[in-house]
């Protein structure tokens, strides 16, 4: 196990150590994939954008300066690719192939010992939550993904989305309120 910090690894990579690049990819591939997927909701597209993110890391390694955490820098790259793709998709008015072809749960073998009613409720809640999240304006969706799904600190979010800390905190509160209101309208949350 490599005990070097991300910042030490990127520094080593900038000095020609390809193994350090591989370590960074290994550390971030799953978290970044989940982050990107929550924007685009398309498995193949998320994988492509993840590859673009790591390609940019590889080709622009020297643009990283040790003034911010490496995680903040790489999340910013992934977020920018995701937002650019969302703008393109919005103009094209297309639907992700994975949404048209199947639901992710179609290929999961069910545990027969589980409670079917509970499974239905969980699936329904996840579906409603996903719909409400997708329905949020991008500025709110981004901040919810970064804070509540990726569990980044307020400071990291402030740097990634380039807003003051106070604005980040108030936007998180407004985004959560909008999400709550949407879930309430769907009958998921009762007053």
């Amino acid at each position: 196990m490599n005990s070097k910090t991300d910042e030490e690894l990127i520094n080593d990579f900038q000095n020609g150590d390809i193994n350090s690049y591989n370590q960074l990819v290994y550390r971030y591939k799953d978290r970044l994939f989940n982050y990107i997927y929550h924007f685009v909701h398309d498995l193949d597209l998320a994988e492509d954008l993840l590859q673009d993110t790591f390609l940019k890391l590889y080709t622009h390694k020297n643009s990283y300066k040790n003034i911010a955490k490496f995680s903040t820098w790489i999340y910013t790259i992934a977020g920018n690719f995701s937002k650019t793709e969302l703008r393109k998709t919005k103009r094209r008015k297309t639907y992700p192939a994975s949404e048209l072809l199947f639901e992710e749960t179609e290929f999961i073998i069910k545990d027969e010992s589980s409670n079917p009613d509970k499974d239905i409720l969980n699936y329904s809640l996840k579906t409603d939550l996903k719909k409400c999240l997708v329905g949020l304006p991008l500025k709110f969706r981004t901040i919810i993904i970064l804070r509540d799904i990726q569990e980044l600190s307020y400071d990291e979010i402030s740097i990634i989305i380039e807003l003051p800390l106070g604005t980040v905190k108030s936007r998180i509160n407004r985004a959560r309120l909008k999400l709550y209101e949407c879930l309430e309208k769907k009958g998921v949350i009762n007053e």
Side-chain angles (χ1 to χ4, degrees), residues 78-133:
N80 287 342
F81 276 125
S82 300
K83 291 172 195 168
T84 299
E85 188 58 37
L86 282 177
R87 284 191 292 275
K88 286 182 197 172
T89 303
K90 198 172 192 178
R91 283 194 299 265
R92 288 189 304 244
K93 301 260 190 238
T94 60
Y95 297 92
S98 62
E99 249 183 57
L100 296 174
L101 297 177
F102 65 90
E103 282 290 322
E104 295 163 35
T105 56
E106 283 182 17
F107 298 105
I108 296 173
I109 298 172
K110 299 278 187 213
D111 177 7
E112 297 301 322
S113 65
S114 68
N115 180 344
D117 291 336
K118 185 177 176 187
D119 290 345
I120 291 169
L121 286 173
N122 284 338
Y123 177 76
S124 177
L125 177 61
K126 286 179 186 175
T127 302
D128 288 338
L129 186 58
K130 181 179 175 182
K131 285 178 184 174
C132 286
L133 186 61

Side-chain angles (χ1 to χ4, degrees), residues 25-76:
V25 169
Y26 178 76
R27 282 184 186 179
Y28 281 91
K29 64 183 172 144
D30 294 335
R31 286 186 280 173
L32 287 175
F33 179 82
N34 287 330
Y35 175 61
I36 293 167
Y37 179 78
H38 279 92
F39 277 102
V40 298
H41 299 287
D42 180 316
L43 297 170
D44 294 330
L45 181 56
E47 185 65 40
D48 289 345
L49 294 174
L50 179 65
Q51 294 306 318
D52 291 345
T53 301
F54 287 130
L55 179 61
K56 183 141 187 172
L57 165 61
Y58 190 86
T59 59
H60 290 78
K61 65 184 177 199
N62 292 321
S63 65
Y64 171 77
K65 305 294 182 231
N66 203 359
I67 55 173
K69 289 176 65 174
F70 173 79
S71 60
T72 302
W73 185 69
I74 197 75
Y75 269 98
T76 301

